[in-house]
Amino acid sequence: MGKRIVVKIGSNVISGKQGKIDRRLLRALIGELAARKKRGYEIMIITSGAVSSGREVLKFSDKDKVLERQVFASLGQARLVEFYSSLFQKQGIKVAQLLLTREDFLEQRHFTNFQQAAKKLLSLGVIPIINENDAIAVADKAFLNNDQLAALSAVAVSADRLIILSNIDGLYTADPTKDKSAELIGEVTDAGKDLEKYCFKKKSTFGLGGMLEKVRAAGLAANNGIKVVIVNGLAKNPIANALEGKVRGTVFVPKAKKIRDRQKWLLVGASSRGKIMIDRGAAEALRHGKSLLAVGIEEVYGDFDKRDIVEVVDGQGETIATGISVYDCRELAQAIAYKKSGKNSLIKKKFSREVIHVDNLTVI
């Protein structure tokens, strides 16, 4: 069993019911992680709680809620990391802080720097403590939530496991707080869109994510060779039990897949502002190692430029690949207009280059 694990500690786990850092619970989690570290595990932590920590020390409100969040995160991040550091230090374990924004994954150089730094810290026996840099994150280029950040980070460092600690046991067939017949889904072998029907629309009290976001993050990691467990972080010994398969939770079975570092960047750097929808023939071609041609495009969404990373989706909206487009969205809209008019010869003439070359494409 691989021993590089990423643990995501959610807002409703670390902040408790009162919206303050639950020190007793965090001590217990750190105790579990320290024990695993001493047994040879490499550990990376994705932590929420900076905003909650900031609220503990400053009574402040502002009409601009983004600014309010930035202020609380700025105050709280230092307190949060100090708490982690002091507790791990008692166990003889060093920690490091890495604050990221979504843009750090969009730029290949930034992504590579993060990847190299994180891997070196792990190899030196240091535990990276990662959070989004909420104080400077730009709204339209922010992570959707820390579930997404955890999955992308796990892919970047080639983690063996991702453990997502939530305030619920895992993925249920319905909202267990409202439906007594709801059943826990113990194992997921295909993390596709069919699962989303089970994701009741309810976000955490103090965080930005809900079960839908957790399932999507888990699917991204599992589809790239990482075993994922969503488990109740408020239960006893959740980390040890998740690793040993002794806990109630939802396990996402990983697909056997090895991807190169450049492919990882293409995968995690995909911008939600740009999508290309393709037809069935083009989808099959991509899955068989071919490039994407303009004739296979059905629609484009968002505003993207040449050399931007875009998502490639099928007719059902399922993401099947990410890659670098050599055309911008306006040029591709023209190609679609030709296609709808039956002018395929014009597409081949004016769009002779591959929209996404196979060397710049990662199939999910």
Side-chain angles (χ1 to χ4, degrees):
M1 182 182 68
K3 288 192 172 183
R4 177 172 289 179
I5 63 173
V6 175
V7 179
K8 184 261 180 175
I9 306 176
S11 296
N12 274 6
V13 173
I14 197 170
S15 299
K17 295 181 179 180
Q18 304 302 319
K20 298 181 179 180
I21 301 301
D22 188 334
R23 287 161 174 76
R24 179 196 58 79
L25 185 141
L26 193 53
R27 285 190 189 95
L29 293 177
I30 288 174
E32 279 198 88
L33 291 169
R36 290 288 160 172
K37 182 74 179 65
K38 293 173 182 178
R39 290 172 59 179
Y41 282 78
E42 293 180 337
I43 298 169
M44 175 184 286
I45 298 173
I46 313 298
T47 184
S48 301
V51 174
S52 296
S53 179
R55 285 197 178 104
E56 290 184 29
V57 296
L58 182 68
K59 302 296 181 184
F60 166 75
S61 63
D62 196 280
K63 292 181 179 179
D64 186 338
K65 295 305 177 184
V66 173
L67 178 60
E68 182 181 304
R69 185 178 180 84
Q70 290 173 320
V71 169
F72 285 136
S74 300
L75 285 164
Q77 186 63 38
R79 297 180 72 243
L80 183 62
V81 171
E82 173 58 28
F83 194 67
Y84 276 107
S85 180
S86 63
L87 289 177
F88 274 118
Q89 188 175 36
K90 293 176 182 178
Q91 303 279 352
I93 298 171
K94 296 179 176 64
V95 303
Q97 176 179 246
L98 292 172
L99 292 177
L100 303 173
T101 67
R102 188 71 177 92
E103 288 183 298
D104 292 322
F105 286 80
L106 298 175
E107 287 286 339
Q108 185 175 13
R109 185 176 59 178
H110 291 188
F111 171 75
T112 301
N113 287 343
F114 158 64
Q115 190 179 46
Q116 290 176 342
K119 287 184 175 181
K120 177 56 71 173
L121 288 167
L122 290 169
S123 71
L124 293 171
V126 179
I127 295 181
I129 309 291
I130 298 178
N131 199 358
E132 181 166 18
N133 194 346
D134 288 318
I136 64 171
V138 180
D140 65 345
K141 289 186 179 180
F143 293 103
L144 297 175
N145 45 69
N146 271 356
D147 298 307
Q148 183 188 46
L149 173 57
L152 297 180
S153 298
V155 171
V157 301
S158 302
D160 299 297
R161 292 205 185 191
L162 168 60
I163 300 173
I164 298 177
L165 299 182
S166 182
N167 64 336
I168 190 170
D169 291 339
L171 177 63
Y172 281 82
T173 55
D175 185 346
T177 64
K178 297 179 180 179
D179 187 344
K180 293 183 179 180
S181 66
E183 296 181 0
L184 180 67
I185 300 173
E187 184 177 272
V188 173
T189 56
D190 184 9
K193 279 191 173 293
D194 287 346
L195 283 180
E196 296 186 5
K197 64 186 177 184
Y198 300 125
C199 299
F200 45 94
K201 299 182 181 300
K202 181 179 179 181
K203 291 192 175 184
S204 63
T205 306
F206 302 109
L208 298 176
M211 188 52 66
L212 177 60
E213 287 74 19
K214 287 174 176 57
V215 166
R216 286 176 175 172
L220 186 153
N223 287 338
N224 287 277
I226 300 170
K227 185 174 184 177
V228 185
V229 184
I230 300 177
V231 66
N232 194 330
L234 304 176
K236 186 177 181 180
N237 300 325
I239 295 168
N241 289 336
L243 289 171
E244 295 166 9
K246 297 178 180 179
V247 69
R248 278 174 57 83
T250 301
V251 176
F252 288 73
V253 178
K255 292 185 178 180
K257 186 175 183 180
K258 291 184 178 181
I259 56 177
R260 303 188 306 272
D261 281 346
R262 178 173 173 78
Q263 290 178 306
K264 289 178 182 177
W265 169 63
L266 291 173
L267 171 68
V268 304
S271 171
S272 61
R273 292 178 300 167
K275 292 186 180 182
I276 296 175
M277 188 175 79
I278 60 177
D279 59 30
R280 184 178 300 177
E284 285 301 311
L286 296 191
R287 293 189 177 102
H288 285 86
K290 304 296 184 181
S291 300
L292 175 61
L293 304 179
V295 70
I297 297 176
E298 296 282 327
E299 296 289 348
V300 291
Y301 304 97
D303 183 11
F304 57 89
D305 297 317
K306 295 178 181 179
R307 306 300 301 170
D308 276 352
I309 302 176
V310 296
E311 293 180 56
V312 181
V313 301
D314 61 19
Q316 288 69 51
E318 187 81 26
T319 300
I320 61 174
T322 62
I324 300 173
S325 175
V326 302
Y327 299 103
D328 63 34
C329 59
R330 291 160 290 280
E331 291 172 312
L332 293 181
Q334 183 61 62
I336 294 168
Y338 288 148
K339 182 176 181 177
K340 290 180 177 179
S341 301
K343 300 176 181 178
N344 285 2
S345 59
L346 271 178
I347 298 177
K348 293 178 181 179
K349 179 180 179 180
K350 295 194 175 185
F351 296 88
S352 57
R353 296 180 65 190
E354 299 94 339
V355 176
I356 303 178
H357 190 274
V358 65
D359 291 341
N360 293 322
L361 184 75
T362 297
V363 177
I364 298 174

